[in-house]
């Protein structure tokens, strides 16, 4: 009797060892048959009651062997299945396919306009320089011939650093002129883009931070006609219109000084609105560098003359992209910024 019971278990162990499930489904069938809640090994343990006492221990061990053999085999089968799935995955990867595109950012509208301006002047021999945004009173005002009592120095307009009288956030890019003149022998032909700050109430039309591009040209015999020609070239390239007008103006660091308007006309409602019905759009301030400024910066004003100009970027960006509010430019809202992906 016992021998028969032993043989049954032995046979089962052989069956387990010989099993060759070849698919996921067959592995599952193997698990259900040998390790599931109604597996066929379990009832064999119960048969122990029929085994004679002297062989009960041996029988118990044999049943355990059946169980552990099934467990070990199932673990191996599972590993094999996983390896197969991995292999299938790697076969599915086409290594020659182009990589997934990842989102690239877009240029900021201010950068787009600034780059265009810089490119135009680079084509006629201007090189780009930059200056610090935290400036001294000397470079921002004094060297630029802005006297001590000039209203521009008023605390209303200028951010001074921690109530210092010396350090401030530059209110224009003109201090870069002084820095360059101080360290460079003419001829000088530079363009200086950068951020500037003014203590102003923030609104749809004005902001406490904005950007300017400064230009400076110093050499022997530089005349107002050279300035005018340069500005006409710029207007043609930037706005597609070389029709400009120079209105007399005042800046402490240029003499004579002017403001340049470009003719856009009133043909489209957009141009009519931008030019407030006049057809003229105000673009920049300019003039011949005041001899006093040249002297302040160590350049012989008897030998050299020059012109300078400075323009704001934001207004041009608002116009170019029909942006209704300057604050959009400083809020870093991606929903706004990503609209410029197509612009260069
Ligand atoms: N710095 C002047 C401004 O901030 C612009 C300017 C630059 C005017 C150079 C003349 C020459 O408005």
């Amino acid at each position: 009797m016992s021998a028969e019971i032993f043989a049954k278990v032995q046979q089962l162990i052989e069956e387990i060892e010989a099993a060759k499930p070849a698919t996921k489904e067959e592995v599952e069938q193997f698990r259900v048959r040998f390790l599931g809640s109604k597996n066929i090994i379990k009832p064999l343990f119960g048969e122990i009651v029929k085994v004679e006492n002297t062989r009960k221990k041996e029988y118990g061990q044999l049943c355990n062997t059946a169980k552990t053999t099934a467990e070990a085999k199932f673990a191996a089968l599972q590993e094999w299945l996983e390896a197969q799935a991995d292999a299938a995955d790697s076969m599915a990867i086409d290594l020659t396919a182009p990589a997934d595109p990842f989102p690239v950012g877009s240029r900021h509208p201010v950068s787009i306009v600034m780059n265009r301006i810089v490119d135009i002047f680079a084509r006629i021999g201007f090189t780009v320089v930059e200056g610090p945004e935290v400036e001294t009173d000397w470079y921002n005002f004094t060297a630029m011939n802005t006297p001590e009592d000039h209203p521009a120095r008023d605390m209303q307009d200028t951010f001074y650093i921690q109530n210092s009288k010396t350090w401030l956030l530059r209110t224009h890019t003109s201090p870069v002129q002084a820095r360059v003149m101080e360290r460079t022998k003419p001829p000088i032909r530079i363009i200086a883009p950068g951020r500037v700050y003014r203590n102003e109430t923030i609104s749809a039309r004005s902001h406490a931070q904005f950007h300017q591009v400064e230009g400076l040209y110093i050499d022997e015999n530089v005349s107002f006609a050279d300035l005018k020609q340069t500005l006409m070239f710029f207007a043609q390239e930037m706005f597609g219109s070389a029709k400009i007008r120079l209105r007399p103006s005042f800046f402490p660091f240029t003499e004579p000084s002017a403001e340049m308007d470009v003719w856009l006309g009133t043909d489209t409602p957009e141009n009519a609105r931008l030019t407030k019905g006049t057809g003229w759009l105000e673009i920049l301030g300019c003039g011949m560098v005041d001899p006093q400024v040249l002297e302040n910066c160590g350049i012989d004003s008897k030998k050299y003359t020059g012109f300078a100009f400075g323009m704001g970027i934001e207004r041009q960006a608002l116009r170019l992209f029909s942006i209704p509010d300057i604050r959009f430019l400083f809020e870093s809202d991606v929903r706004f910024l990503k609209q410029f992906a197509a612009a260069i």
Side-chain angles (χ1 to χ4, degrees):
M1 182 67 194
S2 276
E4 224 172 90
I5 301 172
F6 270 82
K8 223 158 111 187
V9 182
Q10 193 57 51
Q11 213 182 323
L12 197 62
I13 292 172
E14 276 160 30
E15 189 195 330
I16 292 167
E17 280 170 345
K20 279 195 170 52
T23 63
K24 207 174 162 187
E25 290 70 32
E26 286 172 13
V27 171
E28 178 59 8
Q29 282 163 16
F30 176 93
R31 187 193 66 80
V32 172
R33 183 164 161 80
F34 300 109
L35 299 166
S37 56
K38 290 188 183 123
N39 70 66
I40 65 162
I41 304 174
K42 219 188 268 176
L44 294 175
F45 280 96
E47 302 279 285
I48 198 160
V49 294
K50 298 179 190 157
V51 177
E52 65 245 44
N53 281 345
T54 51
R55 296 193 73 189
K56 274 198 199 308
K57 190 179 171 192
E58 191 191 336
Y59 180 77
Q61 279 170 348
L62 193 63
C63 288
N64 262 327
T65 305
K67 191 178 165 202
T68 53
T69 307
E71 281 169 352
K73 178 121 187 177
F74 178 65
L77 284 166
Q78 258 188 325
E79 245 175 64
W80 167 76
L81 274 183
E82 269 168 35
Q84 270 205 325
D86 283 354
D89 274 357
S90 64
M91 292 293 282
I93 297 172
D94 176 358
L95 295 175
T96 64
D100 275 352
F102 56 90
V104 261
S106 47
R107 277 198 206 286
H108 194 281
V110 168
S111 302
I112 295 168
V113 171
M114 205 143 82
N115 288 348
R116 283 192 194 175
I117 296 168
V118 166
D119 281 352
I120 292 167
F121 286 102
R123 266 185 270 147
I124 50 172
F126 285 75
T127 49
V128 178
V129 294
E130 279 178 11
E133 288 173 26
V134 176
E135 259 300 1
T136 61
D137 170 86
W138 166 262
Y139 287 111
N140 197 78
F141 292 128
T142 315
M144 299 314 289
N145 206 29
T146 309
E148 205 73 45
D149 54 0
H150 194 276
R153 288 186 174 226
D154 199 305
M155 300 294 271
Q156 295 287 310
D157 300 314
T158 309
F159 288 117
Y160 284 88
I161 307 275
Q162 290 174 338
N163 296 323
S164 141
K165 285 256 171 254
T166 312
W167 293 95
L168 47 84
L169 296 179
R170 65 179 179 188
T171 58
H172 51 176
T173 42
S174 299
V176 186
Q177 286 188 38
R179 287 181 174 274
V180 171
M181 285 191 270
E182 225 179 36
R183 60 169 191 244
T184 323
K185 261 178 68 98
I188 295 170
R189 223 182 305 172
I190 58 106
I191 197 98
R195 196 187 294 248
V196 303
Y197 303 83
R198 282 183 202 174
N199 195 353
E200 271 177 33
T201 314
I202 296 167
S203 72
R205 299 287 299 155
S206 68
H207 211 283
Q209 54 168 337
F210 53 101
H211 295 76
Q212 288 189 332
V213 174
E214 191 84 7
L216 177 69
Y217 185 15
I218 312 248
D219 204 349
E220 290 176 35
N221 304 317
V222 176
S223 70
F224 200 92
D226 297 320
L227 169 62
K228 195 173 164 191
Q229 190 60 42
T230 306
L231 295 179
M232 278 166 69
F233 171 76
F234 169 69
Q236 175 63 48
E237 296 300 299
M238 191 72 187
F239 304 98
S241 159
K243 189 167 167 185
I244 61 167
R245 117 182 142 176
L246 290 164
R247 282 178 293 109
S249 185
F250 175 81
F251 299 103
F253 32 91
T254 45
E255 182 58 36
S257 302
E259 264 167 273
M260 183 195 91
D261 303 339
V262 65
W263 175 254
L264 295 183
T266 50
D267 309 355
T268 67
E270 176 83 346
N271 282 344
R273 186 180 62 82
L274 281 165
T275 63
K276 299 190 183 88
T278 66
W280 293 102
L281 185 68
E282 193 182 313
I283 297 295
L284 54 76
C286 60
M288 300 306 291
V289 178
D290 193 300
Q292 187 58 52
V293 174
L294 294 174
E295 293 298 332
N296 289 348
C297 302
I299 289 178
D300 183 355
S301 64
K302 290 195 186 62
K303 188 168 177 200
Y304 295 106
T305 51
F307 65 72
F309 55 85
M311 68 185 102
I313 307 301
E314 275 73 6
R315 295 265 161 87
Q316 295 189 50
L318 298 190
R319 178 192 153 265
L320 186 65
F321 298 114
S322 303
I323 300 166
D325 191 315
I326 197 169
R327 287 168 291 197
F328 280 120
L329 298 175
F330 297 104
E331 281 165 359
S332 302
D333 186 331
V334 248
R335 291 168 304 178
F336 167 75
L337 293 174
K338 70 180 178 191
Q339 297 176 60
F340 302 93
I344 21 157

